[in-house]
Amino acid sequence: MVSYKEIGLVNTREMFAKAVAGGYAIPAFNFNNMEQLQAIIQAAAETKSPVILQVSKGARNYANQTLLRYMAEGAVEYAKELGWEHPQIVLHLDHGDSFETCKSCVDMGFSSVMIDASALPYEENIALTKKVVDYAHQFDVTVEAELGVLAGVEDEVSAAESHYTKPEEVIDFASRTGCDSLAISIGTSHGAYKFTPEQCTRDPKTGRLVPPPLAFDVLHEIEKKLPGFPIVLHGSSSVPQEYVDEINALGGKLPDAVGIPEEQLREASKSAVCKINIDSDSRLAMTAAIRRVFHDKPGEFDPRKYLGPARDEMKKLYKHKIVNVLGSDGKAE
Ligand code: G3H
Ligand code: 13P
Ligand code: ZN
């Protein structure tokens, strides 16, 4: 049993309370490899933004849970080396699918876990979430739960359609589970294809797809029911069209990829939404940069020569999200 406190990580409790009160959101960036982690930490250190490092099931399968946890420990020291005196870094399990997975993360030093039982019937979601909360809270580890189902694929939880969170359920759910934050469904979804072209309109000037707006009415109803309670948005990549165009121009094939417009995320950040999950945008930044190197320098075969530019591009993206979208810069001086 290792406590996250011994390795310089923090949980989300104080971070979220400040974010809700201050009208900004904490970035939750997924990482699977060293370059993503370096880019996240450099961006957070340079902007003095609190940050959540997220580990998904896919990441655990790809890179190994133990290795990722030690990388996060290294990240705290790296942040200090970069001149960030008091780094505020959370190591979070993204979409935990069982009590055992959540427990193993708590036991090895994660400071926050998500139990995603959103696909289960309501009472089963409550029972499993409460079991995780009861365990995690003994070690001051915070727990994110989910109510409502996002469209698309949530790791292994698959749903063709989203089911918005029902505001009438949130008080009962939060009080009976004791969860610290709640992921809700208001129209976001995972991946780079958040809406079909049929669900969108087209901007007549640019020909680009314009997605339907998020259900802010549902968000506001939830806020009224649970004043000040930390709300989380998954599936919040914006799918920057510059990256999509670059990838497609350099041999890629991402037709009609579309995300959540950044203005809507900016608006959500001002509300009780205090954690915004972004993964796909980082994948797009990395892919665009690597394709650029392969295109411009076909003789290049040193991975550092294409992973380095990819890291720089991701860092630029993370800083942009922190400063221009979530407003978390300067909140962890
Ligand atoms: O929740 C979805 C995240 O983007 C993680 O996806 O399981 O492919 O790493 P992944
Ligand atoms: P995106 O696919 O929109 O980046 O969402 C990531 C996410 O919600 C991770 O849990
Ligand atoms: Zn998610």
Side-chain angles (χ1 to χ4, degrees), residues 129-207:
T129 301
K130 182 171 169 12
K131 189 173 174 189
V132 171
V133 169
D134 287 347
Y135 184 76
H137 280 185
Q138 295 176 73
F139 308 100
D140 207 18
V141 169
T142 39
V143 178
E144 175 183 325
E146 181 165 330
L147 195 53
V149 180
L150 273 65
V153 175
E154 281 196 336
D155 282 358
E156 299 205 327
V157 182
S158 184
E161 283 176 29
S162 70
H163 302 281
Y164 289 166
T165 306
K166 297 187 182 113
E168 61 275 20
E169 288 180 348
V170 297
I171 297 177
D172 182 62
F173 185 87
S175 59
R176 285 172 63 198
T177 60
C179 65
D180 300 282
S181 59
L182 187 62
I184 61 165
S185 172
I186 57 166
T188 63
S189 63
H190 292 101
Y193 299 93
K194 299 195 186 296
F195 305 97
T196 62
E198 295 71 44
Q199 292 172 306
C200 301
T201 52
R202 276 201 194 265
D203 181 325
K205 277 195 206 126
T206 60

Side-chain angles (χ1 to χ4, degrees), residues 246 250 289-300:
E246 175 99 334
L250 298 171
I290 291 173
R291 278 194 181 275
R292 170 57 62 198
V293 176
F294 286 167
H295 175 270
D296 292 350
K297 299 176 189 161
E300 195 54 77

